[in-house]
Amino acid sequence: MRLSRYFLPTLKENPSEAQIVSHRLMLRAGLIRQASAGIYSWLPLGFRVLRRIEQIVREEQDAAGCQELLMPTIQSADLWRESGRYEDYGKEMLRIKDRHERDMLYGPTNEELITVIFRDSVRSYRELPKLLYHIQWKFRDEVRPRFGVMRGREFLMKDSYSFDLDQAGARRAYNKMFVAYLRTFARMGLKAIPMQADTGPIGGDLSHEFIILAETGESQVYCDRELIDFDVLGEAVDYEADLQPLVDRWASRYAATDEKHDPARFAALPEARRIEARGIEVGHIFYFGTKYSAPMRAEVSGPTGEMVPLHMGSYGIGVSRLAGAIIEASHDANGIVWPDAVAPFKVGLINVKADDAACGKAAEELYGRLRAAGIEVLYDDTEERAGAKFANMDLIGLPWQILVGPRGVKAGTVELKRRAGGERAELSAEAALAKLA
RNA sequence: CGGAGCGUAGCGCAGCCUGGUAGCGCAUCAGACUGGGGGUCUGAGGGUCGUGGGUUCAAAUCCCGCCGCUCCGACCA
């Protein structure tokens, strides 16, 4: 993509409404624009990031045997009256009326709808277990939206739902999601730590929040430092095998949010291993048993012929929140530092001297070769001065930069710069291509 | 839902207290000089001062209502 043609409105100064670093950088780097309080438009560069994140989530859900579907954003109030949550949910639920004065709502979550879909279609235990998910916009009318996309009212969420005959089955589904979540966040370059958590208004008795550590986090968290070095991507996972040992390896270490914090257990850790920090919740998994299936009569015939209410769990990842959370975890004084896996482009190509014919030719040629090699490149072919280009490229945080300048063109080299760490190397265009391929 | 602010050009802000018809920096446009970390000079364009009402000879400025946005707390993915 040529920057001269790309819609990338970056800002030199910090917008006054943005207080935390990820929000400031998302506005400055041209990723998002605010539409109203807690509601954002995603501009081309931001949307690319959002789709990257979404795709990683999707791949890991699919790998764990979860099947994707898509439910609507608007739901009928009747559905929620059936579960009893229409009254309980309070003002956070955006209630609307259609032209026939029917009560509708913009879905804050989808337990009711998925339960009905499942109830109406599945009759026998022999069709279990099932794991379903979708990635859809949600709306929760927060009293106080803040921190940009980290606590918006409208947000993109991946929510999965498991259906099992009994608690043991639900536990297996829970474990699958537990492991899938570890892998999902690790692939995005995040250290997400599963922590025991309150189940909140959704109910249930088994729940972990996945938290990444960041100064601007909204929750106070406590954990064992060794968790940070656990590697989950290094080993192959067989989702059909017993995942309990892998889950236990994580779950047995101390890690808890404020509400579940046990000072005595925490104090038992050696001091050097105690981490007390702020955290951002990027995922949350629940087992909630028959909380919805019982009142909504979502039952199947069991092995002995009797009707059995389904044991369910739900599993959420804040997809749009992750974009902000990743920036909170990965930035420096000059801007965003995208982890490779979620970067909107892999490399930014800069023609350092816009009016130098030889530079222009070399840059154009390299741009063509990068594209031919299938490498996603944003090519700054504008007339800006070198300094402005560098600052802008650092701001948007692509993992690699290639600088084509008069010095290198003479010597037959380009400069390859790693955004994270800032290491630079002078090498031939071929070598740079090989390194990025 | 309690408390506190803010709304003036695309962005960041001054002017308001003490009323006299709007200004600065950046950005934009034109030209020149420049050319490896947001450059310099010259010139130009761009604002119903959030909105409705009131006071006044006169309102960005004073008073009242409304709308929007932000921050702290409570709440929450």
Side-chain angles (χ1 to χ4, degrees), chain A residues 72-77 79-80 103-107 109-110 112-113:
Chain A
T73 54
I74 306 291
Q75 304 177 24
S76 158
L79 204 58
W80 287 68
D103 293 323
M104 312 291 284
L105 56 96
Y106 196 119
T109 177
N110 286 65
E112 280 77 2
L113 191 48

Side-chain angles (χ1 to χ4, degrees), chain A residues 2 349-368 379-381 389 404-406 409:
Chain A
R2 287 173 188 275
L349 174 64
I350 293 179
N351 176 7
V352 171
K353 200 167 161 67
D355 62 352
D356 182 298
C359 281
K361 186 163 172 287
E364 286 289 337
E365 199 179 301
L366 186 50
Y367 176 56
Y379 169 31
D380 189 342
D381 59 340
K389 289 184 177 180
V404 177
V409 167

Side-chain angles (χ1 to χ4, degrees), chain A residues 59 65 76 83 87 107 131 155 176 202 249 273 370 394 396 419 436:
Chain A
E59 286 169 12
S76 158
S83 71
E87 308 307 327
L131 263 166
F155 57 98
K176 283 182 183 178
I202 260 173
R249 179 138 57 91
R273 275 170 50 189
L370 283 161
D394 283 351
I396 66 175
R419 176 64 179 89
L436 294 172

Side-chain angles (χ1 to χ4, degrees), chain A residues 218-232:
Chain A
E218 290 190 87
S219 337
Q220 179 69 32
V221 299
Y222 307 84
C223 71
D224 185 336
R225 186 174 300 278
E226 295 196 339
L227 282 166
I228 294 195
D229 298 320
F230 279 12
D231 175 31
V232 67

Side-chain angles (χ1 to χ4, degrees), chain A residues 59-129:
Chain A
E59 286 169 12
E60 291 301 324
Q61 289 294 298
D62 291 347
C66 206
Q67 298 170 52
E68 187 171 17
L69 50 78
L70 184 61
M71 290 178 272
T73 54
I74 306 291
Q75 304 177 24
S76 158
D78 290 342
L79 204 58
W80 287 68
R81 293 196 175 101
E82 225 184 299
S83 71
R85 281 211 290 181
Y86 191 65
E87 308 307 327
D88 293 351
Y89 220 96
K91 288 192 163 175
E92 226 178 72
M93 180 188 279
L94 180 65
R95 294 150 205 264
I96 49 187
K97 278 186 195 295
D98 69 9
R99 68 195 299 165
H100 304 293
E101 294 289 304
R102 284 186 289 238
D103 293 323
M104 312 291 284
L105 56 96
Y106 196 119
T109 177
N110 286 65
E111 279 84 4
E112 280 77 2
L113 191 48
I114 194 79
T115 301
V116 165
I117 291 171
F118 209 81
R119 170 186 78 189
D120 292 349
S121 319
V122 175
R123 302 263 82 95
S124 161
Y125 80 97
R126 296 166 73 166
E127 295 176 69
L128 302 179

Side-chain angles (χ1 to χ4, degrees), chain A residues 370-435:
Chain A
L370 283 161
R371 296 209 311 166
I375 297 165
E376 292 189 300
V377 52
L378 184 63
Y379 169 31
D380 189 342
D381 59 340
T382 65
E383 303 293 313
E384 284 291 336
R385 302 168 62 83
K389 289 184 177 180
F390 297 149
N392 208 48
M393 202 57 88
D394 283 351
L395 174 64
I396 66 175
L398 307 182
W400 298 95
Q401 296 173 13
I402 299 181
L403 281 49
V404 177
R407 294 200 305 245
V409 167
K410 253 181 216 155
T413 62
V414 298
E415 195 172 328
L416 182 66
K417 177 186 156 187
R418 180 73 175 158
R419 176 64 179 89
E423 299 85 12
R424 293 156 183 269
E426 301 264 351
L427 34 86
S428 68
E430 288 69 31
L433 272 163
K435 188 144 189 182

Side-chain angles (χ1 to χ4, degrees), chain A residues 48-60:
Chain A
R48 288 179 76 100
V49 173
L50 193 63
R51 285 193 307 188
R52 280 272 144 80
I53 294 170
E54 187 183 316
Q55 187 54 27
I56 292 173
V57 170
R58 177 175 289 120
E59 286 169 12
E60 291 301 324

